[in-house]
Amino acid sequence: MSIRSLPLRHMAKAVNRRQVGEEGDPEALLPDQMRLYSYYKPSLVAGSYTIEAEQNVVANVKKDNGSVVTQSLRVTNVRATPDAKKIALQEFQVVVPRFTLDPALINSYYPPDGHQDEGRILPHLVIDDPHYPWEIDAGVTTNMSGPIDGQPALDPITGEPMKDPDTGKDEVKYRSIVPWVALMVFDSDDLRLSAGDITNLCIPGAPDASQQNANGIFKMQVSDYFTKLPHSSRVNFEAGVTEVLDEAKEDDSLMDAIFPSKALFRSLFGDLESHKYLAHVRHINTVGFPDAGVEEEGLYSIVISSRTGRLDVKQPTTQICHLLSMENFDSTLAGAWLNDDTGKGSDRVGLISLFSWTYTVLPPDPVNFVDTMRNLVTSQQMFRADQQALDTLDKAITGSSADSVKTQASKLLATRLRLGYTLARWRTETGEETTAFNRGPLAPQPVRHPPVDDLPDCSNTSKEYQILDPGTGLMDLSYSSAWQLGKLLAISDTVFSAALMRFRSIVYSKGSNQTRSEINGVVPASSLIAKAQTAMASIQSKSIGNTGDPSRFMPLPHRTVAPSVKDSKVFPIFRANIMKEVIAQSNAGDTTFNEFNENLPNNNDWVIIHNWLSDKLFLGDIPPQFLVPEPSFIPQEGLRYFYIDDFWLDCLIDGALSVANHLDHEDDHVRRDIKNVFNNYLRTVVNDTIKPQIPCYGFILRSKLVETLPDLRITVTWKTDDPDDHKREDVCRWTKYDKQTIVCLLDRQPQELEAITLAQPPHQQRFSLGYGIVASEELLEVHLRTLYTKGAPGKEGDPPDKWIWPPLEGPDTATDTTKTWLNWDTRCINTTIMARDVNAALQFNKKDQAYTDTMPNSCELGLELNDPSYFFKVIPPQDSDPDVPPRDRQIYVNDPTETKKDTKTTSLLRMIPEVASPPMLAPQFDAPHARLVSSAIRFKAPHQATRIQALPRSLPPPPRTLVPRVGAAEYQSRFDIKVFPDYHLPPTDPHDDGYDAFGYCPTNNVYYYDLIFSVRKSAAYSDSSYILREIVIDIPTTGLDPSGKDPDKEALLDQNYDGPGVRMLSNQRFIPFLYYTDTSLSIRLVPRRAADNANVPINNHETDELGFRLAEANIAPVKPGQMISIQGNDPKHPEFKNKNQKRGLAKVTMTEKYFDSQRGMQPVETDYFVVKWATTDANADGSTR
């Protein structure tokens, strides 16, 4: 079943109504309605049947003389015997499993396994197959097979008897059939066998008497039941169909059997025909049932036990329920079948158990549905840590010193907990373990979308979505983990990843080909075909002498092949063609694809991608540990409301779409265009009905009631005057994540919510004998409800409380009549007596309302045995602002080519402030990241970097030695820096005779390589008293000298660096921040501290090593270069030993900033020169790097 089945089904109906009108099925059930049947007999019950087939073919044949002769042919299935005219009968059998019940057919049963309830409760079983209780004839004696209880059929309008159209006689309507199954309750002692019983019964493979099954069942082969048990200790199948018995004696499949005493068997099943009142079928409208399927109606057969649990218990007592086969019970109880003629048999009888379970009977007045629901209401809250725990934390903070570090930390922790966060273990890239904040897509308050306006929309590593909390110094990994999860889900879904790769490939290929054709002046085939007629006419004209005036031959112009599609002049054309191709491939014909297009999709792979993305917006296939990162957020009995963080899902989708981007990994335009066309689908009205519904709010219900009532009905009502809102499905999705947890997703805000109603489903309500029972006094108090055959309360559109049928007028006390309804010795209902008495009590006839059915039946008795149907309504705060702006859900897209380049700098690690805790369900909350510090440094994402044009920059001429520059005379540099490729050894320091021959960065390598920045504290200053604030390394880029003619302004990197970023080599006590200036790429090394302006002393080992790695550095070419001296042997040119060579020198500046309490910040600058060489390094195997 589709994750989006509810809104899709609702939209399909809206489209159908628009196309064919409002016609509907007059027999269809409305929500909260049900239709009851006293039986639902299949067309053919189990047994053997024959078919007699005969076909007569008649044809009119016209002869040559014009006359017409009729010819006929009789076709039959003829036996190969001398009697060729005899018709062969085709034999077949209808087979029904007689000895087992497929567990998949069981919808529910009450009380469920391990559940506790009162003794007056009548257990019942709900089966998904409406035919099951009547698929086999219960017996062979009178009234045990076929329909019974016939009465004249009356016309519903005139009230006159109806005639059978075939016979002309009065038509008879039969009201009952005895089912072949019965549900029965047993005490544990009823089914416990002694060692002697086991021996006398000859039970094959029976365990020791002390190790019997808790349900009292014994497993055996079907053949063993019929061949090894004494015939007086099993059911008399000999009285039934012979073929059934013969097949059973050879059946080696397993079955369950129980062995109550024969006396108990006779007392429990003395009135077999009365079981016709204990099975019926309910045809109900399933709208509002979690995971109800695509159909809106369901047919369920219900079997009710005729025996209650123990009524005189003072402490909890175990009861056993068995669904028994009643087939041939009539023949078994009649005559002398159960008599033991040998004197060696047992007083036990083996009955076939199709299904069994246990429950616990409690003393009167236990916790029930109403009490449980009330407890849920009192404990409801937003989706986060328990409110009592937060209140306790607030009291502890209030009672402590406001200035203490512990108090401040507690405040920060309490703020995060109120925002729905939890603490998680985080392993950094370098392997260290630390703590980080984490949150899934469910939040206790609305979250701003996007959290920051200039967030990147495409990432290849998810680092852009990591957030640093300055108050705690901990990282927030919520969006980063969402991105990683999206990529993992996409990779693990081979169908989606393969479709995405094919889609990307065809889009990129066609877009590239179209771009090359345009820039090379290739005329499209369509244009050539269109001009063919004109060209042929011109040739024909010239062939007859119309050559025109003579002209000089003109040589063809000199043409060159156009540059790559990534060239700065070509790129805009390529970008437009990519977008055009994505739109074309994602459409259905010329319109935006949706599930209801008249045209087929242009690309079937887009259907897979579209459905996958849509399902993720409905939280489809997201693992529960991401939805609920902290189990305590959902207690065992709790109701929790949440908002959906749209940007969390956007990050997940971006991670998924990052798969298969091998063709455009630098700037993934196809990924962004996929988001754009999907956004177009989200904002498009489908077939003039409504826009796609996308959830934004919801709740989680976790309770044992969900397990007890698996089809718990959920109804959501909205308060709105917008007529378009009535076109929308009330609920986007509800599903069960386990037996006790339901998740409901809604597409509107809580301000628009009128109420959430949880109600017992019609087929899963309890059945009970009376309102109260006093076993010691044999008093039975029964409250009957009024039933109607005319004028029943409630109409379409009414809420559940308008459908309530009132109690039957009269005293609600125990009477002598009700005493006869129960056999107080066996605890079995005197079903026949009770059914007749109830039917007589229900009769009334008024002008507008009446109940005139005089035939007792199982539907009538089932309704009266039903406990009251309770419903539970949750009403949100009424002071909420009803004016809610319309929601326009869009996947986040931030295309840098469509916006002005941001000159501000942005940090790789974003910072969030402390946010106050909001009240529950308040609509005006700020998002967790809505108020960011204005001074936050902004990181330029890979797709935001310029790739073609260089910017003018300036830099002073480089000195030839390390030169520290100080801000105060007494402050000196305490750190040394070296820069080299990751596959080189650190270079030696330059001397008067030149630079290290191996200390260079090649500029002509085929692939990018990482640059190592080795920053180490000088050994001579390990005990320095300096207080370090930060270290800044400025790396010159090509914007320094656009002309490339000044040797003193040599760049180390191209201006458009878009690599994975920077990370520390080993010291995770510092955080690297990467940002741009006009002339350099700068990296700040900042201590990892909670304070905004953190300082660290350098007189310990925490600052010995501060090295970092700049990944995939795009080294700038040597331009213009200068002659420098190389010391030692040149590895490639030994003839140049100690000679000047043309290289490039790029100056890297390291600024150490120390804090002085008296003089403030004291900077110390050091220049380091990196040698560049226009060469290509080789790997150990000789291949080029």
Side-chain angles (χ1 to χ4, degrees), residues 622-672:
I622 297 179
Q625 63 268 28
F626 285 86
L627 295 177
V628 187
E630 172 54 48
S632 64
F633 286 5
I634 309 179
Q636 287 293 335
E637 295 289 330
L639 180 60
R640 297 293 182 264
Y641 302 92
F642 58 81
Y643 292 85
I644 295 178
D645 185 351
D646 290 339
F647 191 73
W648 195 98
L649 294 177
D650 291 355
C651 292
L652 181 142
I653 289 175
D654 185 69
L657 295 179
S658 70
V659 174
N661 67 338
H662 55 286
L663 297 173
D664 195 14
H665 63 278
E666 293 180 354
D667 196 355
D668 200 345
H669 300 290
V670 177
R671 189 195 323 184
R672 185 175 296 113

Side-chain angles (χ1 to χ4, degrees), residues 630-923:
E630 172 54 48
S632 64
F633 286 5
I634 309 179
Q636 287 293 335
E637 295 289 330
L639 180 60
R640 297 293 182 264
Y641 302 92
F642 58 81
Y643 292 85
I644 295 178
D645 185 351
D646 290 339
F647 191 73
W648 195 98
L649 294 177
D650 291 355
C651 292
L652 181 142
I653 289 175
D654 185 69
L657 295 179
S658 70
V659 174
N661 67 338
H662 55 286
L663 297 173
D664 195 14
H665 63 278
E666 293 180 354
D667 196 355
D668 200 345
H669 300 290
V670 177
R671 189 195 323 184
R672 185 175 296 113
D673 291 343
I674 289 175
K675 295 180 183 179
N676 280 323
V677 297
F678 189 74
N679 282 340
N680 188 46
Y681 157 76
L682 294 178
R683 72 171 70 96
T684 302
V685 176
V686 178
N687 289 23
D688 297 327
T689 55
I690 56 174
K691 293 194 297 184
Q693 294 182 245
I694 305 298
C696 64
Y697 182 71
F699 63 87
I700 299 177
L701 171 64
R702 185 180 185 189
S703 173
K704 289 184 178 179
L705 282 175
V706 178
E707 182 178 9
T708 304
L709 307 172
D711 287 339
L712 186 71
R713 183 192 293 275
I714 306 172
T715 305
V716 179
T717 53
W718 303 93
K719 48 184 179 183
T720 176
D721 297 327
D722 188 351
D724 289 338
D725 284 346
H726 297 292
K727 299 178 182 179
R728 294 192 285 179
E729 176 69 19
D730 290 334
V731 175
C732 286
R733 183 192 180 197
W734 43 44
T735 187
K736 289 186 289 188
Y737 277 96
D738 59 34
K739 292 182 179 180
Q740 297 185 0
T741 307
I742 290 179
V743 178
C744 178
L745 302 183
L746 310 172
D747 70 330
R748 280 162 274 189
Q749 300 291 344
Q751 302 96 304
E752 305 173 79
L753 184 62
E754 181 175 298
I756 300 172
T757 304
L758 307 179
Q760 292 176 294
H763 61 297
Q764 290 175 353
Q765 299 164 13
R766 295 192 312 178
F767 293 88
S768 62
L769 182 60
Y771 183 78
I773 297 178
V774 182
S776 59
E777 302 179 14
E778 295 188 357
L779 292 178
L780 175 60
E781 183 178 355
V782 179
H783 294 180
L784 299 180
R785 64 171 57 86
T786 304
L787 302 185
Y788 300 87
T789 54
K790 181 178 71 172
K795 60 181 183 299
E796 181 180 1
D798 285 347
D801 53 348
K802 298 297 184 182
W803 292 86
I804 297 176
W805 291 6
L808 189 66
E809 296 180 1
D812 291 330
T813 58
T815 64
D816 293 337
T817 300
T818 59
K819 286 184 178 182
T820 63
W821 292 357
L822 180 66
N823 186 321
W824 297 92
D825 295 327
T826 63
R827 309 196 310 271
C828 284
I829 303 175
N830 294 322
T831 315
T832 302
I833 297 175
M834 182 177 182
R836 292 172 181 171
D837 291 345
V838 168
N839 179 264
L842 291 174
Q843 301 300 316
F844 79 99
N845 193 349
K846 297 181 180 180
K847 180 179 179 181
D848 298 325
Q849 295 178 323
Y851 185 83
T852 57
D853 188 353
T854 58
M855 178 65 72
N857 57 81
S858 59
C859 301
E860 179 183 86
L861 186 62
L863 287 174
E864 294 300 342
L865 290 176
N866 256 145
D867 254 8
S869 177
Y870 296 104
F871 63 90
F872 155 65
K873 181 177 291 187
V874 182
I875 301 176
Q878 296 301 310
D879 56 352
S880 301
D881 183 7
D883 296 329
V884 181
R887 182 169 181 262
D888 184 19
R889 177 67 168 102
Q890 295 282 275
I891 306 298
Y892 178 65
V893 176
N894 182 17
D895 192 345
T897 63
E898 298 178 358
T899 58
K900 185 177 179 180
K901 182 177 179 181
D902 189 1
T903 56
K904 298 180 180 179
T905 55
T906 301
S907 129
L908 177 66
L909 307 176
R910 306 183 176 274
M911 306 180 183
I912 68 170
E914 181 176 340
V915 182
S917 173
M920 185 181 74
L921 285 176

Side-chain angles (χ1 to χ4, degrees), residues 1097-1110:
I1098 65 172
N1099 60 354
N1100 53 43
H1101 295 294
E1102 293 184 2
T1103 56
D1104 287 351
E1105 194 280 323
L1106 302 180
F1108 58 89
R1109 175 190 294 265
L1110 182 64

Side-chain angles (χ1 to χ4, degrees), residues 566 568 666-667 901 940-951 953 1008 1035-1040 1051-1060 1074 1076-1081 1110-1117:
K566 293 297 184 71
S568 60
E666 293 180 354
D667 196 355
K901 182 177 179 181
K940 197 167 296 298
H943 67 274
Q944 294 175 310
T946 305
R947 285 173 171 68
I948 305 300
Q949 300 295 333
L951 298 178
R953 302 197 176 185
Y1008 289 155
I1035 307 169
T1037 62
T1038 49
L1040 193 67
L1052 178 57
L1053 300 177
D1054 277 335
Q1055 189 183 20
N1056 60 335
Y1057 171 73
D1058 57 358
L1074 186 147
Y1076 295 111
T1077 67
D1078 291 337
T1079 59
S1080 65
L1081 178 70
L1110 182 64
E1112 299 183 12
N1114 51 346
I1115 305 298

Side-chain angles (χ1 to χ4, degrees), residues 52 72 105 175 394 454 493 576 608 646 852 991 1083 1093 1176:
E52 180 178 319
S72 63
L105 289 177
R175 305 297 300 277
D394 288 340
D454 65 342
D493 189 337
I608 299 173
D646 290 339
T852 57
H991 299 285
I1083 298 169
N1093 298 317
T1176 303

